[in-house]
Amino acid sequence: MSGAQAQTGQRRRLPWARMAGGAAAVLALAVLPLFAIDLPGVLPGPTYTPGTLQLVALCFAMAAAALSYHLLLGAAGLLSFGHALSFGAGVYGLAVILAHLGLPLVPAAALALVLAIVLALAVGSISLRVGGIPFAMVTLAFAQAGSVLVRRNPGDATGGDEGLSLATQNLPEGLVGVVNTRNLYWLALAALVLVYAVVLWIQSSRAGHVAEAVRENELRVRVLGLTPFPAKLLVFTVGGALASIAGMVYLLLQSGAVPRSVSTDLTITLLVMVVLGGVGSRWGAVVGGVLYTLLDQRLAAFAASPAVKELPPVLRIPLSEPLFILGTLFILVVLFMPGGIAGAAGRLRARRRAGTRAPEPAERLEKILEDA
């Protein structure tokens, strides 16, 4: 067998190996609450305890939100500063419907999802008329309008700055109370798997290939007779819908909606997650979301620990600020790990494969256009 044939066979086996590895990882995470695994300094307690399950479930929810943002930035090259609007639509949409309409969870979630899709479609139809920095500014304006609307508390619907508590009387008993944290954990894991599957499906579709080609060279796509706008609008709308699903899970985990879920800070956080994991990588977005959320939660506990309080001021002051540590970590990743965690892993794999060569941007564009 020639070297070219061996490489072709390896490429054909690679997707199946990745699928098997992903299925094994999901199965391992699904049975995690049944074991007493303790990771001191990483998790607050054994993996079967409610506090640990709550933290890991929150990591899953934010990883799903980061995946939805990856669909915009990594797949289509759309730098949106208003993605929190879709996330907040899921949070506040479900919270308001449960509190004021009294619907059960499933119909309320379906109605909130439809409203989030309509909102993303409307915002995308307007925002995508421009590109680059103007597109980012238009999405930012929509997000700011949504944040102001939530804080104004129209009709006492959103709770204003204090937020809106979750109407637990309309939820299934299996999702209410600390004793049912394990069920919320499995719900968050299922949402992450669903979001990943949809993102994979969209990126593998004709519209996804066109959107990736537009990211590489929009002018060349137009010259070839393809229309970029419908593909970008589809990606934008699906990304918003997936963000709203992550927002609904976030609401159930936090037992309430707060204005931060619609703020620009959340969009910046999602951007940091994607960059930390590696722009353009699906599993990188998941790892970035989990890692950032875990660090954000655990560094707050570390900053308040007696060990930090006993340090000299030159060390105590910076270490007592979790955002300072996260910002420093982000700067180090950008400087010394181009491409994020996924990029570093890719370079390590490339070193192990003698004679391989990374495709040039022009070659990548030709492959994308052929698939489209």
Side-chain angles (χ1 to χ4, degrees):
M1 181 181 292
S2 65
Q5 290 175 333
Q7 289 183 0
T8 302
Q10 184 179 10
R11 285 195 296 267
R12 289 176 179 174
R13 291 191 299 269
L14 189 58
W16 292 103
R18 288 179 177 175
M19 290 176 61
V26 172
L27 179 61
L29 291 172
V31 300
L32 187 63
L34 306 179
F35 295 92
I37 302 174
D38 197 1
L39 298 176
V42 179
L43 298 176
T47 51
Y48 69 90
T49 57
T52 298
L53 293 178
Q54 174 82 7
L55 174 58
V56 179
L58 181 62
C59 291
F60 291 160
M62 297 312 298
L67 256 178
S68 69
Y69 192 73
H70 152 80
L71 191 59
L72 271 66
L73 180 62
L78 299 174
L79 179 59
S80 171
F81 284 158
H83 202 58
L85 181 62
S86 294
F87 184 87
V91 175
Y92 273 96
L94 181 58
V96 170
I97 292 172
L98 288 174
H100 298 282
L101 298 185
L103 295 177
L105 177 61
V106 174
L111 179 57
L113 179 60
V114 170
L115 295 176
I117 292 174
V118 172
L119 177 63
L121 185 62
V123 173
S125 299
I126 298 173
S127 304
L128 290 172
R129 300 295 176 180
V130 294
I133 299 301
F135 167 78
M137 293 298 99
V138 173
T139 56
L140 175 62
F142 276 109
Q144 289 294 97
S147 179
V148 171
L149 180 65
V150 165
R151 294 181 183 276
R152 289 288 180 88
N153 191 22
D156 294 330
T158 62
D161 291 332
E162 297 182 359
L164 184 63
S165 299
L166 179 63
T168 56
Q169 67 272 14
N170 296 323
L171 299 180
E173 293 183 1
L175 298 178
V176 179
V178 177
V179 69
N180 292 312
T181 306
R182 182 184 300 179
N183 296 332
L184 288 172
Y185 170 91
W186 284 324
L187 177 65
L189 178 60
L192 176 58
V193 173
L194 173 64
V195 170
Y196 190 95
V198 173
V199 170
L200 177 60
W201 174 59
I202 290 295
Q203 287 194 254
S204 303
S205 66
R206 174 182 171 83
H209 291 152
V210 173
E212 291 181 359
V214 171
R215 178 196 64 197
E216 298 289 337
N217 191 327
E218 183 171 352
L219 179 59
R220 189 169 184 178
V221 173
R222 293 181 182 276
V223 170
L224 291 174
L226 299 175
T227 307
F229 182 80
K232 292 194 294 184
L233 181 59
L234 175 64
V235 169
F236 187 92
T237 304
V238 173
L242 296 179
S244 69
I245 293 175
M248 295 180 205
V249 176
Y250 180 86
L251 170 71
L252 297 176
L253 290 172
Q254 299 297 95
S255 297
V258 292
R260 185 185 179 277
S261 60
V262 198
S263 68
T264 307
D265 293 343
L266 181 63
T267 300
I268 300 301
T269 299
L270 296 178
L271 174 61
V272 171
M273 291 177 181
V274 172
V275 174
L276 180 62
V279 178
S281 171
R282 287 185 296 270
W283 72 264
V286 174
V287 172
V290 170
L291 182 60
Y292 183 96
T293 306
L294 190 62
L295 286 174
D296 185 39
Q297 298 292 320
R298 298 303 294 154
L299 285 176
F302 172 74
S305 64
V308 173
K309 294 181 179 179
E310 294 175 358
L311 293 174
V314 67
L315 295 176
R316 184 182 71 251
I317 294 176
L319 291 180
S320 62
E321 296 294 337
L323 289 179
F324 174 83
I325 301 176
L326 285 172
T328 303
L329 174 63
F330 178 71
I331 293 173
L332 292 176
V333 168
V334 171
L335 290 177
F336 300 105
M337 293 177 62
I341 298 173
R347 286 190 294 273
L348 289 176
R349 288 195 303 267
R351 291 176 183 176
R352 296 177 181 176
R353 298 174 183 172
T356 58
R357 179 177 62 89
E360 297 295 331
E363 295 176 353
R364 293 201 305 268
L365 178 59
E366 291 289 349
K367 179 64 170 61
I368 293 171
L369 292 175
E370 288 176 2
D371 294 337

